[in-house]
Amino acid sequence: MSSGVLDPVDLTQRLIRCPSVTPAEGGALDLLQAELETLGFTCHRLVFSEDGTPDVDNLYARLGTAAPNICFAGHTDVVPTGDPAAWSCDPFSGELRDGMLFGRGASDMKGAVAAFVAAVSAYLAAQGAPAGSISLLITGDEEGPSINGTRKVLQWLAEQGERLDACLVGEPTNPGELGDMIKIGRRGSMNGWLTVRGVQGHTAYPHLADNPVHRLVTMLAALTAEPLDQGSEHFQASTLQVTTVDVGNPATNVIPGEARATFNIRFNDLHSGASLESWLRETLDRIGGDYDLQIKLSGESFLCPPGPFSELIASSVETETGRRPELSTTGGTSDARFIKDYCQVAEFGLVGQTMHKIDERTPAADVESLARIYHRILRGYFT
């Protein structure tokens, strides 16, 4: 076991230089495995596949065999860079300029992964082996379909008899400054594909046709006429947003035979995927006609109520940054939606203002502060 303390900024730079665009591993997991094994971790590389989806490489690493087992979850896969010429530097250079660390994954979320590994190295150097276990669950499929990543690793852990007692996800949770926000839950997400079928005909003879566009517009108006709710204690109001309406009709004198729309629902703990689907079908059935509705549930809403774990994170953040973070459930989905079925989970990482953007970047000082926060959390967890 090494007693050397890793530099989180240097490790972030090295991770950024691995071109790990989903589902490519890009050398990022190889790099992490080498560093973790030097620290004494036992590493498992888990490659999962499924028909119609690409193979995905994942890493589970554990130090220690005793309970409790605190896990850090994250991902090394990143979204595509967009036009590299639009960047002020090579997207995979990890360039450090004027105190800012540039590169795809700098904020989402190679910086947090590096900060946690550095925090573990600092913990081992200062406190020695933990009175329990420290583990990392790192996937290469968070930015993709999320089929062959965290969910399957968790299933594998259960099959092996591995137990997680608490999990901290390193997603970029802070909207403005490091210390703003901890996520203790997430809204659910559901996509719907609505197809309305009619009878094609001439616009001059509408009585001989059945215009599906008119019925589609009526259906969408019914779905969006009233708010789904006013929010709940820990969640903002649920929303239904129409994302596209498509007819594909180039003619001005033809009533089309089919019209389609897609929508997304972000919902709080007043609903479930099943209750929303039931409401959708009842609403559309009242309007009637020939239609088809396909539903895909990305994840149910969930909440890990405020308690000792969130308080430990919040106090560690406040001690380091001087800010008392808000406990929030805002934002999109994350892999925490899978982890919450296995243990208590919370999320805290870097500032997310530039994630997925051209010139993604994060202050190097924030990466260093985040490593210190994670170190404080580890000390507090095992005290």
Side-chain angles (χ1 to χ4, degrees):
M1 182 182 295
S2 170
S3 60
V5 177
L6 291 168
D7 179 346
V9 175
D10 172 73
L11 183 53
T12 303
Q13 288 178 294
R14 287 187 283 144
L15 285 172
I16 290 172
R17 290 169 190 147
C18 301
S20 52
V21 177
T22 315
E25 184 271 330
L29 295 182
D30 291 341
L31 171 58
L32 283 177
Q33 180 174 348
E35 293 292 356
L36 290 169
E37 287 179 341
T38 300
L39 293 172
F41 281 78
T42 299
C43 294
H44 302 272
R45 292 293 281 276
L46 305 167
V47 179
F48 297 112
S49 61
E50 193 169 302
D51 289 346
T53 61
D55 291 357
V56 174
D57 199 347
N58 305 278
L59 170 66
Y60 177 71
R62 180 167 178 166
L63 177 70
T65 58
N69 179 10
I70 182 172
C71 180
F72 178 85
H75 61 92
T76 51
D77 65 314
V78 296
V79 298
T81 63
D83 181 8
W87 287 65
S88 64
C89 62
D90 181 340
F92 295 112
S93 66
E95 180 177 321
L96 185 59
R97 185 197 327 148
D98 299 326
M100 299 295 290
L101 184 54
F102 286 76
R104 179 58 83 223
S107 68
D108 187 17
M109 55 170 286
K110 291 181 175 181
V113 172
F116 191 81
V117 176
V120 172
S121 72
Y123 179 91
L124 295 175
Q127 280 79 37
S133 300
I134 301 172
S135 59
L136 288 90
L137 192 169
I138 309 296
T139 183
D141 191 33
E142 199 275 344
E143 301 289 9
S146 297
I147 292 173
N148 296 317
T150 297
R151 180 167 51 183
K152 288 191 176 179
V153 176
L154 290 165
Q155 293 169 354
W156 180 87
L157 291 175
E159 292 167 0
Q160 305 304 309
E162 285 272 334
R163 174 184 169 87
L164 306 181
D165 294 287
C167 185
L168 176 59
V169 181
E171 285 290 341
T173 56
N174 297 284
E177 294 184 82
L178 188 70
D180 284 344
M181 186 175 291
I182 298 167
K183 299 291 177 72
I184 59 169
R186 292 278 187 166
R187 294 177 295 172
S189 180
M190 168 188 284
N191 292 311
W193 292 266
L194 176 60
T195 301
V196 178
R197 290 178 285 267
V199 177
Q200 183 175 316
H202 198 298
T203 56
Y205 303 95
H207 60 289
L208 299 177
D210 175 19
N211 196 324
V213 179
H214 294 179
R215 205 150 18 95
L216 177 65
V217 170
T218 301
M219 288 177 165
L220 295 178
L223 295 179
T224 58
E226 299 291 338
L228 291 171
D229 56 64
Q230 300 299 318
S232 62
E233 180 181 1
H234 293 286
F235 287 86
Q236 59 191 178
S238 304
T239 62
L240 186 154
Q241 297 296 319
V242 178
T243 56
T244 185
V245 176
D246 303 289
V247 179
N249 180 17
T252 59
N253 61 347
V254 176
I255 294 171
E258 189 173 273
R260 298 166 300 281
T262 305
F263 57 85
N264 175 263
I265 303 177
R266 298 296 170 120
F267 60 94
N268 58 36
D269 55 352
L270 298 176
H271 309 274
S272 67
S275 69
L276 284 170
E277 182 172 357
S278 178
W279 168 75
L280 288 166
R281 296 191 185 280
E282 289 173 3
T283 303
L284 299 177
D285 284 346
R286 284 198 297 269
I287 297 167
D290 185 5
Y291 79 89
D292 177 70
L293 177 64
Q294 299 293 321
I295 294 292
K296 182 178 180 182
L297 181 67
S298 299
E300 298 280 5
S301 68
F302 72 92
L303 175 72
C304 292
F309 189 51
S310 60
E311 174 57 30
L312 170 61
I313 300 169
S315 61
S316 299
V317 171
E318 186 175 21
T319 300
E320 174 62 31
T321 68
R323 298 183 190 86
R324 184 69 179 179
E326 174 189 355
L327 302 182
S328 173
T329 59
T330 58
T333 59
S334 75
D335 278 359
R337 69 188 189 272
F338 306 127
I339 300 166
K340 52 85 176 171
D341 294 329
Y342 294 81
C343 67
Q344 60 182 331
V345 60
E347 302 175 62
F348 184 77
L350 292 164
V351 175
Q353 288 183 346
T354 65
M355 59 181 176
H356 295 202
K357 292 184 177 181
I358 299 295
D359 271 358
E360 181 179 349
R361 59 198 179 275
T362 192
D366 279 5
V367 177
E368 294 169 340
S369 292
L370 185 61
R372 290 192 292 270
I373 290 168
Y374 288 162
H375 186 186
R376 290 182 186 277
I377 292 169
L378 289 172
R379 287 207 315 263
Y381 189 78
F382 290 114
T383 299

